[in-house]
Amino acid sequence: MRITQILLPLLIVSLSSISSHVCADQIFPAHLVGTFSRNNREPKYTIEFLPEDAPFHPGDNLESMVMHDKQGRRFLCFLPKEEESSTGWTSTQQNISTVLMETDKQLKLKTPDELLQPLNEQCLLRQEGWWSYEFCHLRSVRQLHVEDGPKIVQEFSLGKYDPEATAAFNQNVSHASTMKERYHSHIYTNGTTCDLTGTPREVEVRFVCAETRAMVTSITELSTCKYALTVQCPTLCKHPLFQLEKPVSHTIHCNLIPQEEDTSRNEEERVVDESFKVADS
């Protein structure tokens, strides 16, 4: 019943929009009106209208409902079944070190650091207002203010790549019981001394999967003079632990009810309505 309550208003909106936005010759064959979802975590629902000569053939026990568009045409729409999860377990709730061990053993996956090798010898730059941030893979991270082209007028080192700190950090993460965010980290330490804390600046560089080009996407200050720099890298998507979750998609198939069948249905409904009226009287 819950899936019907969710999809009914979506069907009404979709069908009511056909006459005002889509002509009849645009609907057929198999015109996709749109995709609907209340939020990113819920399944996506696509409405598909099919021609009379190639209708959708539903399976057994598939719920359906008749809907009208503004032109008075009737569609028989078949709703996808609501699948219940047999368990609440997800891959992100496994022990991460176990996942890495098993996937590497079974699929012979490259490690995250091996997948990041295309960034070697590269420097990526991001500008945010007054400051620019330069990330050079396995070397350094700098905070710069540049004027008149390449002229650097102010500069702070946010840290230099620290392989030992990186190994220790990832060792601690690998024993975590959950993995809420999918990224791989490198630690950069021994940056310019912070005036407020008297200690060197440092930054955690977080690599995330992205299907677009490699680039610095954000810089945040976690605490005084301690930063987090996010770098997206397409090659990291080759590892299953860092792949983006794709929303589940369902299709609502709608068959146009032929004119003669529609007339027959209307007549049957009229007879039923009149019989009810007689019974009530």
Side-chain angles (χ1 to χ4, degrees), residues 8 15 75 168 184 187 202 212 227 238 255:
L8 181 58
L15 288 166
F75 292 84
H184 177 66
I187 305 299
E202 59 184 66
T212 55
Y227 308 89
K238 295 180 180 179
N255 294 339

Side-chain angles (χ1 to χ4, degrees), residues 28-206:
F28 307 112
H31 176 74
L32 296 181
V33 171
T35 302
F36 304 91
S37 177
R38 294 192 298 181
N39 59 55
N40 291 333
R41 296 182 180 180
E42 291 194 352
K44 307 292 182 182
Y45 293 96
T46 300
I47 315 294
E48 183 175 1
F49 299 92
L50 295 120
E52 293 183 50
D53 58 353
F56 172 72
H57 298 285
D60 297 333
N61 302 321
L62 201 61
E63 188 175 357
S64 65
M65 61 175 60
V66 176
M67 301 295 296
H68 298 77
D69 67 2
K70 285 186 177 181
Q71 296 176 351
R73 293 176 301 183
R74 290 154 61 91
F75 292 84
L76 184 62
C77 297
F78 299 92
L79 308 183
K81 291 183 179 180
E82 185 175 17
E83 297 181 359
E84 296 183 0
S85 175
S86 59
T87 174
W89 177 88
T90 62
S91 61
T92 56
Q93 292 172 324
Q94 297 182 80
N95 181 282
I96 297 174
S97 59
T98 302
V99 175
L100 284 169
M101 185 183 304
E102 291 300 318
T103 53
D104 285 344
K105 181 175 62 177
Q106 295 176 11
L107 304 178
K108 296 182 180 179
L109 297 173
K110 289 185 176 181
T111 66
D113 285 326
E114 289 175 331
L115 293 173
L116 293 174
Q117 285 181 358
L119 294 178
N120 291 356
E121 308 301 326
Q122 285 196 44
C123 290
L124 306 175
L125 192 68
R126 178 179 179 83
Q127 183 174 353
E128 292 195 1
W130 176 268
W131 295 108
S132 296
Y133 297 89
E134 179 195 64
F135 161 69
C136 295
H137 185 50
L138 300 179
R139 285 182 283 168
S140 63
V141 180
R142 294 193 298 168
Q143 183 179 6
L144 314 168
H145 176 60
V146 181
E147 292 182 357
D148 301 327
K151 183 180 179 180
I152 299 174
V153 297
Q154 197 170 5
E155 173 185 352
F156 295 99
S157 170
L158 299 188
K160 298 178 176 60
Y161 178 63
D162 189 332
E164 294 182 359
T166 297
F169 180 87
N170 288 320
Q171 180 66 26
N172 291 334
V173 171
S174 69
H175 289 93
S177 59
T178 60
M179 185 178 181
K180 295 181 180 179
E181 297 182 70
R182 299 183 178 188
Y183 58 80
H184 177 66
S185 293
H186 283 178
I187 305 299
Y188 288 66
T189 60
N190 200 30
T192 304
T193 300
C194 178
D195 293 336
L196 297 177
T197 64
T199 58
R201 289 173 167 83
E202 59 184 66
V203 57
E204 176 191 352
V205 177
R206 299 173 175 176

Side-chain angles (χ1 to χ4, degrees), residues 1-9 11 63 65 79-80 82:
M1 185 63 185
R2 178 177 177 272
I3 191 170
T4 305
Q5 294 172 342
I6 294 174
L7 297 181
L8 181 58
L11 280 169
E63 188 175 357
M65 61 175 60
L79 308 183
E82 185 175 17

